[in-house]
């Protein structure tokens, strides 16, 4: 176990003080910290319980803000452990995942999708409503960041209210056509092309 993973184990015990005794019992039983066992069997049940109830929003925001820090730090060992435990388990239940996505940062959301893809269970985005489209555009905005040349346009399409839906989608289609060709957004090219196809269908 490297330093970053050790810090993660300690931090999770801070979030859930009631797990300290269980972690110690696991160490005593196995003679070492079995990272995946501790995370899956000890830390994930209280996380899933919090998400299922979805009442302690401040606490959930703090936990998922910390998860975003982990992903941004990009420690390969911890990222791998985190992906095959936390991210995969969150994807096991669609209703839990939908609640978790309310608190996920952009990088955490991307990692979770990759975890689902690795298990062959990623669903294509449906873009069934304007809210779904705007949520996706907001995700792109967060992914690009303020220094991106796309940022201001993405902010516009997240916030603005057009007189008609067709006017909004028509202008958005022009932007999406350009986004599809940008290497900066290669992580999202598949989703962007699905959205573009949906927009083209509206204007046939």
């Amino acid at each position: 176990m490297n330093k970053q993973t050790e810090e993660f184990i300690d931090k999770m015990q801070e979030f859930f003080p009631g797990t300290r005794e269980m972690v110690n019992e696991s160490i005593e039983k196995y003679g070492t910290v079995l990272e995946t066992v501790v995370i899956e069997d000890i830390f994930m049940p209280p996380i899933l319980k919090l998400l299922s109830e979805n009442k302690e929003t401040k606490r959930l925001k703090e936990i998922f803000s910390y998860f975003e820090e982990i992903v941004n730090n990009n420690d390969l060992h911890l990222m791998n452990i985190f992906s095959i435990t936390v991210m995969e388990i969150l994807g096991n239940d669609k209703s839990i995942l939908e609640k978790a996505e309310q608190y996920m940062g952009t990088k955490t959301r991307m990692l979770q999708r990759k975890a689902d893809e690795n298990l062959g269970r990623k669903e294509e985005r449906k873009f069934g409503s304007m809210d779904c489209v705007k949520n996706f555009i907001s995700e792109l905005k967060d992914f690009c960041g303020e220094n991106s040349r796309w940022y201001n346009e993405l902010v516009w399409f997240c916030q603005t209210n057009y007189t008609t839906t067709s006017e909004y989608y028509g202008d958005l289609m022009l932007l999406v056509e350009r986004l599809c060709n940008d290497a900066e957004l290669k992580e999202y090219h598949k989703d962007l092309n699905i959205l573009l196809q949906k927009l083209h269908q509206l204007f046939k």
Side-chain angles (χ1 to χ4, degrees):
M1 181 169 65
N2 67 4
K3 180 181 178 182
Q4 287 77 12
T5 308
E6 185 177 350
E7 289 174 353
F8 173 76
I9 299 290
D10 290 341
K11 185 67 175 180
M12 295 309 297
Q13 290 178 89
E14 289 180 21
F15 282 129
F16 302 102
T19 63
R20 293 186 186 278
E21 185 175 345
M22 288 184 282
V23 172
N24 289 334
E25 287 174 354
S26 178
I27 295 171
E28 185 176 335
K29 179 178 180 179
Y30 297 108
T32 187
V33 176
L34 297 183
E35 299 153 337
T36 57
V37 171
V38 168
I39 295 170
E40 291 178 349
D41 296 347
I42 298 176
F43 297 141
M44 286 310 297
I47 290 174
L48 295 176
K49 185 173 186 292
L50 281 178
L51 287 168
S52 178
E53 296 171 349
N54 204 20
K55 294 178 180 178
E56 297 186 51
T57 56
K58 181 180 178 181
R59 193 175 179 193
L60 283 165
K61 285 178 181 177
E62 290 174 352
I63 291 169
F64 279 89
S65 175
Y66 174 62
F67 287 171
E68 187 76 355
E69 287 180 27
I70 290 171
V71 180
N72 282 321
N73 286 339
N74 205 29
D75 177 77
L76 292 179
H77 178 74
L78 178 54
M79 284 272 285
N80 181 56
I81 295 295
F82 186 69
S83 178
I84 65 174
T85 55
V86 178
M87 296 292 96
E88 286 188 6
I89 290 172
L90 288 177
N92 286 342
D93 185 319
K94 190 172 181 180
S95 65
I96 291 291
L97 180 58
E98 287 175 353
K99 292 174 182 177
E101 286 177 338
Q102 299 172 22
Y103 305 100
M104 286 182 184
T106 302
K107 295 290 181 67
T108 307
R109 195 176 290 112
M110 288 176 60
L111 185 65
Q112 200 288 316
R113 278 207 205 95
K114 286 181 180 178
D116 275 356
E117 285 179 356
N118 290 338
L119 294 174
R121 66 184 182 191
K122 182 186 177 184
E123 294 183 6
E124 286 189 350
R125 292 182 189 263
K126 302 299 183 184
F127 299 114
S129 68
M130 184 178 285
D131 284 342
C132 291
V133 172
K134 284 190 173 182
N135 287 340
F136 174 62
I137 299 301
S138 179
E139 184 179 328
L140 288 179
K141 169 183 67 70
D142 293 340
F143 173 78
C144 290
E146 295 182 8
N147 294 325
S148 169
R149 65 195 180 104
W150 302 114
Y151 185 78
N152 289 334
E153 287 185 87
L154 292 168
V155 168
W156 170 264
F157 281 99
C158 288
Q159 298 176 349
T160 193
N161 291 310
Y162 279 71
T163 305
T164 65
T165 301
S166 60
E167 184 183 1
Y168 173 81
Y169 283 147
D171 285 351
L172 179 62
M173 184 168 63
L174 298 176
L175 174 61
V176 173
E177 285 175 345
R178 290 184 286 141
L179 296 176
C180 284
N181 296 314
D182 193 319
E184 178 186 354
L185 293 167
K186 63 182 180 180
E187 298 274 1
Y188 286 94
H189 279 178
K190 182 178 179 181
D191 293 327
L192 284 164
N193 278 290
I194 292 170
L195 176 57
L196 186 59
Q197 288 175 14
K198 295 281 186 183
L199 294 172
H200 280 157
Q201 288 171 6
L202 293 173
F203 292 94
K204 279 184 176 180

